[in-house]
Amino acid sequence: MSERTIDYYTKLGLIRPETRTQTNYRLYSSETLLRLTRINEMKREKYSLEEIREKLKQWEKLSGEEVTEKLSALEIHMQQLEREVKELQPIISKLSPNQAKRAFAELMPQSLACIEALRIILNQGPFS
């Protein structure tokens, strides 16, 4: 990432220097590096810088308790889904290839959305 980009993000308020040196150089923390990684990922996903700023503000507002509650609810939901998959396994194994393809095509977008949500919470959340 270029110096100009870092300067621009600093001016926009997307990142903040941790401190300054005696010669007035800005110093950034390792948390800022994680934040820059999140910003780059959101840019690749075609978020605007304004949308990115709003997302970062939302993440900053989350408390540890809220995140823990959401993760607990997700864990319970995942356990329920795992039980349902085990119950469906005998039926799934009897599907014809075409039936399996159709089922897969219908379930895949929902599954990917869940996986992406978990990835964001676990890897890019405010406490990563």
Side-chain angles (χ1 to χ4, degrees), residues 97-108:
N98 285 337
Q99 290 172 321
K101 275 185 184 178
R102 279 196 305 270
F104 180 76
E106 288 182 30
L107 293 174
M108 185 50 94

Side-chain angles (χ1 to χ4, degrees), residues 16-126:
R16 290 177 221 71
E18 188 75 21
T19 187
R20 288 189 179 262
T21 66
Q22 289 180 343
T23 53
N24 210 29
Y25 284 100
R26 290 180 294 232
L27 299 176
Y28 296 92
S29 66
S30 58
E31 186 175 307
T32 303
L33 292 176
L34 291 172
R35 195 173 175 101
L36 286 169
T37 302
R38 281 186 224 132
I39 291 168
N40 279 335
E41 288 174 355
M42 287 188 281
K43 281 181 61 182
R44 278 194 301 268
E45 294 172 9
K46 307 296 184 209
Y47 284 93
S48 70
L49 289 176
E50 184 57 38
E51 291 170 322
I52 291 170
R53 182 187 359 242
E54 290 305 312
K55 287 284 185 196
L56 293 174
K57 282 182 186 177
Q58 289 172 1
W59 284 339
E60 288 172 356
K61 290 179 186 177
L62 288 177
S63 72
E65 189 175 307
E66 289 173 310
V67 172
T68 301
E69 285 178 27
K70 289 181 189 271
L71 286 174
S72 295
L74 280 171
E75 185 177 358
I76 291 168
H77 188 66
M78 291 293 291
Q79 289 170 353
Q80 176 64 32
L81 290 173
E82 287 173 1
R83 282 193 295 275
E84 290 175 15
V85 167
K86 285 180 185 176
E87 290 172 9
L88 289 172
Q89 196 63 39
I91 297 169
I92 292 170
S93 64
K94 293 178 184 175
L95 292 177
S96 72
N98 285 337
Q99 290 172 321
K101 275 185 184 178
R102 279 196 305 270
F104 180 76
E106 288 182 30
L107 293 174
M108 185 50 94
Q110 297 166 2
S111 301
L112 289 176
C114 288
I115 291 168
E116 181 64 12
L118 285 171
R119 187 184 70 80
I120 289 170
I121 289 171
L122 296 174
N123 294 330
Q124 300 175 358

